[in-house]
């Protein structure tokens, strides 16, 4: 009979079995490794717990594990903007929302907004602004840090008030062409939004580069279509939080689906359009100009009649870098011409029919300045259009061109008793801020008198920020107001406006820019016919 223990001792397997001492050593080593891993991960877990706890202390709707509050954003584009406005309902002035595992804080209290926008540490825009980079590159709109500071210093002199006065002739000529196009409607209902967009694009490109795109006459131009497609395609991603993605996934999206079309449009805009065929002219200007950009020179008036002259004469760079700077600036301003720039004119015109008393006051102001003459508007006339300027500001209050400004926090932000930790995306809800009854009683009413001198002085400086505020405000706001005054004045001098869309049927979408969902359908009656009917 075989002894099992003897068999085990003689079995070849026994030679591979560790001894008791070796097992003890392996056990100790395992415990040491586990302790090291725990020591390494524990601080990370503690920091993560503190980070989540700090965000959860902010007021906001209940969030579900993993998906957060993402389900409330799973709605159609029209309802989405309404949802983003409706969640801004907490008395504290801020709302915490989780989109998946990414925290977002919506802020809509003037005191809090001042702390964010006035602080030069919080100037980095949210990462999803990178969707614009394939088109406009790292220009003033999308850059950060040192690049943003250098571009702002470069571009600011181009918007000197004395240089802007040179553009009055261009504004008049393009707006009168718009009037002629509107007359062709023969008092039939039309969507005025594309007419204004084409006029704004022609105007801004001529003042930038001295090149007339002539899109008012060529509404099917390939350049106009490429710009429009890019605005819509990129805007369709920005206005859908469920499509917001981390930067590491952006490249994959760039080479598939509609991003391929964005790059196709960008290539056309950069290579084929006549604005960029003036590269030799850039080089010629660079050869003539040897003035370096300094602080003292940045405040001096600038010669020339193009925004291009306003910053190229301060460049001390090689030709390649001049072209890159100019390309970014031109494409960014072209975006303004097709995006935010024409939007406010559209909303002012819409409100004038809803408020016939306001339209009548504007006609009275224009008749007091111009009488029955058909003369062009001058720089001196602009300072007298005070009630029109109040209407522009009130329209920007109700429908700001850019309703939300988003920033990434690189360090903790203290707002009273709340602490928003670094790494959070903060959204300044301009649309909600402008409806704060503390500063704007009866906020949904269109009342241009709100912006009289006395009312404006008493208001919180950050209660009304249509062009943002602080270091990263819009450097082209004077340009925009001047252009709007001239274009709207010429329209109102020739037409009486009658909207065809009731207020309850007028819906807007947030595509980075607040655009009307179905355009702006209205009827334009010549002023002289209107007067005859009144008599």
């Amino acid at each position: 009979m075989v002894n099992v223990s003897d068999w085990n001792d003689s079995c070849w397997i026994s030679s591979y079995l560790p001894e008791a001492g070796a097992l003890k050593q392996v056990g100790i080593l395992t415990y040491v490794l586990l302790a090291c891993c725990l020591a390494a991960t524990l601080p990370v877990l503690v920091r993560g717990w503190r980070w989540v706890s700090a965000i959860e202390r902010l007021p906001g709707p209940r969030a579900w594990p993993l998906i957060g509050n993402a389900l409330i954003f799973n709605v159609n584009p029209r309802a989405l903007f309404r949802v983003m406005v409706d969640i801004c309902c907490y008395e504290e002035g801020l709302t915490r929302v989780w989109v998946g595992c990414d925290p977002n804080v919506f802020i809509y209290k003037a005191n809090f907004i001042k702390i964010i926008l006035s602080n030069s540490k919080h100037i980095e825009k949210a990462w999803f602004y990178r969707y614009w980079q394939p088109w406009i590159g790292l220009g003033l709109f999308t850059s950060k840090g040192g690049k943003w500071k250098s571009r702002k210093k470069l571009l600011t002199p181009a918007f000197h008030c004395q240089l802007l006065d040179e553009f009055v002739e261009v504004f008049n000529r393009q707006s009168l062409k718009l009037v002629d196009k509107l007359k062709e409607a023969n008092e039939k209902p039309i969507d005025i939004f594309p007419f204004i967009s084409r006029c704004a694009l022609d105007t801004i490109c001529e003042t930038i580069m001295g090149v007339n795109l002539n899109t008012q006459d060529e509404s099917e131009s390939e350049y106009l279509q490429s710009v429009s497609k890019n605005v819509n395609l990129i805007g369709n991603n920005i206005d859908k939080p469920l499509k917001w993605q981390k930067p590491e996934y952006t490249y994959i999206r760039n080479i598939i689906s509609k991003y391929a079309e964005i790059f196709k449009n960008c290539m056309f805009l950069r290579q084929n359009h006549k604005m960029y065929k003036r590269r030799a002219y850039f080089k010629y200007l660079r050869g003539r100009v040897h003035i370096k950009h300094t602080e003292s020179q940045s405040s001096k008036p600038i010669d020339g009649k193009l925004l291009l002259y306003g910053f190229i004469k301060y460049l001390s760079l090689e030709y390649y870098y001049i072209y890159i700077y100019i390309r970014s600036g031109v494409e960014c301003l072209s975006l303004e011409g097709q995006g935010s720039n024409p939007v406010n004119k559209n909303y002012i015109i819409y409100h004038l029919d809803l408020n016939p008393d306001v339209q009548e006051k504007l006609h009275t102001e224009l008749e007091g300045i111009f009488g029955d003459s058909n003369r062009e508007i001058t720089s001196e006339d602009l300072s007298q259009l005070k009630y029109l300027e109040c209407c522009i500001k009130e329209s920007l209050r109700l429908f700001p061109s850019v309703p939300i400004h988003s920033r990434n926090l690189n360090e903790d932000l203290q707002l009273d008793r709340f602490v928003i930790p670094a790494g959070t995306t903060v959204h300044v809800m301009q649309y909600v801020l402008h409806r704060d009854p503390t500063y704007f009683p009866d906020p949904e009413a269109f009342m241009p008198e709100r912006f009289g001198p006395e009312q404006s002085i008493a208001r919180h400086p950050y209660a009304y920020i249509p062009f943002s505020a602080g270091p990263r405000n819009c450097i082209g706001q004077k340009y925009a107001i001047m252009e709007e005054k001239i274009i709207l004045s010429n329209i109102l001098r020739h037409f009486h406006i009658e909207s065809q869309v009731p207020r309850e049927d007028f819906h807007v979408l947030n595509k980075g820019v607040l655009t009307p969902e179905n355009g702006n359908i209205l009827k334009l009656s010549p002023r002289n016919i209107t007067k005859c009917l009144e008599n």
Side-chain angles (χ1 to χ4, degrees):
M1 182 174 181
V2 179
N3 191 324
V4 176
S5 61
D6 294 340
W7 181 84
N8 286 336
D9 290 339
S10 62
C11 182
W12 62 273
I13 298 178
S14 63
S15 63
Y16 291 93
L17 295 176
E19 298 179 359
L23 284 175
K24 185 176 182 180
Q25 291 178 358
V26 172
I28 293 174
L29 181 61
T30 301
Y31 290 138
V32 170
L33 290 175
L34 289 175
C36 291
C37 291
L38 182 61
T41 58
L42 186 60
V44 177
L45 294 174
V46 171
R47 284 196 301 269
W49 177 80
R50 289 177 178 174
W51 184 72
V52 172
S53 297
I55 295 171
E56 280 299 307
R57 283 194 286 269
L58 303 176
R62 177 184 177 184
W64 296 94
L66 298 180
I67 63 173
N69 306 108
L71 293 179
I72 67 174
F73 297 114
N74 189 27
V75 293
N76 62 66
R78 179 198 295 180
L80 174 63
F81 183 64
R82 193 70 255 169
V83 168
M84 298 177 76
V85 171
D86 289 343
I87 62 176
C88 299
C89 58
Y90 293 85
E91 294 181 358
E92 293 86 348
L94 70 166
T95 302
R96 179 266 306 141
V97 173
W98 290 91
V99 180
C101 297
D102 295 330
N104 295 261
V105 178
F106 295 85
I107 298 179
Y108 39 93
K109 186 177 180 180
N111 291 335
F112 291 168
I113 290 174
K114 179 182 179 181
I115 294 173
I116 298 170
L117 296 185
S118 63
N119 193 330
S120 59
K121 296 179 181 179
H122 304 302
I123 62 172
E124 181 181 339
K125 293 197 174 184
W127 62 264
F128 48 78
Y129 281 83
R130 299 181 190 182
Y131 284 129
W132 295 103
Q133 287 184 13
W135 181 10
I136 61 178
L138 287 174
L140 190 64
F141 180 61
T142 54
S143 58
K144 61 182 179 180
K147 287 185 177 181
W148 169 78
K149 291 180 180 178
S150 64
R151 280 157 174 73
K152 183 168 185 178
K153 182 181 289 187
L154 177 71
L155 287 170
T156 298
F159 292 92
H160 193 281
C161 58
Q162 292 189 15
L163 177 63
L164 295 182
D165 289 341
E166 301 287 347
F167 301 149
V168 171
E169 185 273 331
V170 177
F171 295 156
N172 271 298
R173 175 161 39 80
Q174 294 291 354
S175 60
L176 290 174
K177 179 184 286 189
L178 170 63
V179 168
D180 291 338
K181 296 297 178 183
L182 295 176
K183 287 180 179 178
E184 295 176 3
N186 295 321
E187 301 185 60
K188 297 178 181 178
I190 60 169
D191 179 8
I192 198 173
F193 188 61
F195 288 87
I196 293 178
S197 297
R198 290 192 289 267
C199 176
L201 187 59
D202 281 352
T203 300
I204 204 165
C205 287
E206 185 169 357
T207 53
I208 297 170
M209 300 288 293
V211 175
N212 187 356
L213 298 183
N214 206 28
T215 59
Q216 294 197 76
D217 293 325
E218 302 174 10
S219 59
E220 302 299 324
S221 71
E222 191 173 355
Y223 182 85
L224 177 63
Q225 292 180 11
S226 296
V227 171
S228 300
K229 287 178 181 178
N230 273 1
V231 169
N232 291 327
L233 289 171
I234 298 173
N236 285 339
N237 281 287
I238 291 179
D239 74 342
K240 293 181 176 63
L242 293 181
K243 289 187 177 182
W244 293 352
Q245 300 176 2
K246 290 299 184 184
E248 54 265 26
Y249 301 116
T250 304
Y251 177 75
I252 298 175
R253 291 187 63 109
N254 283 347
I255 59 177
I256 62 175
S257 186
K258 54 191 173 186
Y259 269 71
E261 186 173 358
I262 291 176
F263 279 108
K264 178 183 177 181
N265 294 332
C266 290
M267 291 303 294
F268 169 78
L269 294 175
R270 292 176 182 175
Q271 295 180 2
N272 299 330
H273 193 262
K274 57 185 176 182
M275 285 199 298
Y276 298 109
K277 293 179 182 178
R278 303 189 70 173
R279 297 182 193 181
Y281 187 50
F282 301 158
K283 189 172 183 178
Y284 166 71
L285 286 176
R286 176 66 186 90
R288 293 181 56 188
V289 179
H290 303 282
I291 303 176
K292 293 185 178 180
H293 178 73
T294 64
E295 290 293 334
S296 59
Q297 289 169 333
S298 65
S299 60
K300 293 181 179 179
I302 302 166
D303 298 327
K305 295 186 178 182
L306 303 178
L307 286 179
L308 168 64
Y309 297 154
F311 57 88
I312 197 172
K313 71 180 297 183
Y314 291 104
L315 284 172
S316 179
L317 303 170
E318 295 299 325
Y319 162 61
Y320 173 77
Y321 294 104
I322 292 177
Y323 173 67
I324 295 298
Y325 269 66
I326 291 175
R327 192 191 73 187
S328 297
V330 168
E331 290 174 344
C332 184
L333 291 172
S334 296
L335 170 62
E336 292 293 313
Q338 186 66 9
S340 60
N341 188 284
V343 164
N344 190 45
K345 305 181 192 69
N346 175 75
Y347 292 131
I348 295 173
I349 291 173
Y350 175 73
H351 279 112
L352 291 181
D353 176 65
L354 299 181
N355 302 271
D357 57 326
V358 173
Q359 186 172 177
E360 186 59 34
K361 288 181 181 178
L362 282 176
H363 286 154
T364 301
E365 180 177 73
L366 292 170
E367 289 172 1
I369 297 173
F370 302 102
D372 296 330
S373 69
N374 291 323
R375 68 176 179 84
E376 292 188 351
I377 301 170
T378 65
S379 299
E380 292 73 22
D381 296 328
L382 297 177
S383 61
Q384 300 181 53
L385 295 170
K386 299 185 182 298
Y387 191 68
L388 177 59
E389 184 169 342
C390 290
C391 292
I392 292 173
K393 291 179 177 179
E394 176 68 348
S395 179
L396 282 168
R397 181 189 71 83
L398 286 169
F399 293 103
S401 302
V402 181
I404 305 172
H405 296 284
S406 302
R407 303 285 175 87
N408 280 338
L409 296 185
N410 293 319
E411 60 181 54
D412 293 353
L413 176 66
Q414 182 80 44
L415 298 178
D416 286 352
R417 60 188 174 90
F418 302 107
V419 177
I420 304 176
T424 306
T425 301
V426 172
H427 307 277
V428 175
M429 296 296 291
Q430 195 168 301
Y431 185 91
V432 179
L433 170 70
H434 289 178
R435 285 165 167 76
D436 188 340
T438 304
Y439 307 107
F440 304 104
D442 193 10
E444 292 296 335
F446 185 80
M447 298 168 56
E449 291 77 13
R450 300 180 200 270
F451 292 93
E454 295 181 0
Q455 294 88 336
S456 298
I457 291 174
R459 189 177 300 125
H460 191 290
Y462 281 76
Y464 175 72
I465 50 171
F467 297 99
S468 190
R472 196 139 197 179
N473 68 336
C474 176
I475 64 174
Q477 53 187 289
K478 291 182 179 178
Y479 176 100
I481 296 295
M482 177 183 289
E483 184 206 28
E484 287 184 16
K485 280 186 173 182
I486 293 178
I487 292 178
L488 291 169
S489 293
N490 279 325
I491 291 175
L492 291 169
R493 288 170 69 185
H494 290 83
F495 298 107
H496 180 85
I497 300 168
E498 302 174 29
S499 178
Q500 305 295 299
V501 183
R503 179 65 184 90
E504 59 271 15
D505 296 332
F506 189 79
H507 303 287
V508 294
L509 304 176
N510 176 28
K511 294 183 177 293
V513 174
L514 199 63
T515 58
E517 180 182 24
N518 298 311
N520 185 10
I521 310 300
L522 49 79
K523 180 181 177 182
L524 299 172
S525 303
R527 288 279 313 281
N528 57 346
I529 296 178
T530 304
K531 288 184 177 181
C532 291
L533 293 174
E534 290 175 351
N535 294 333

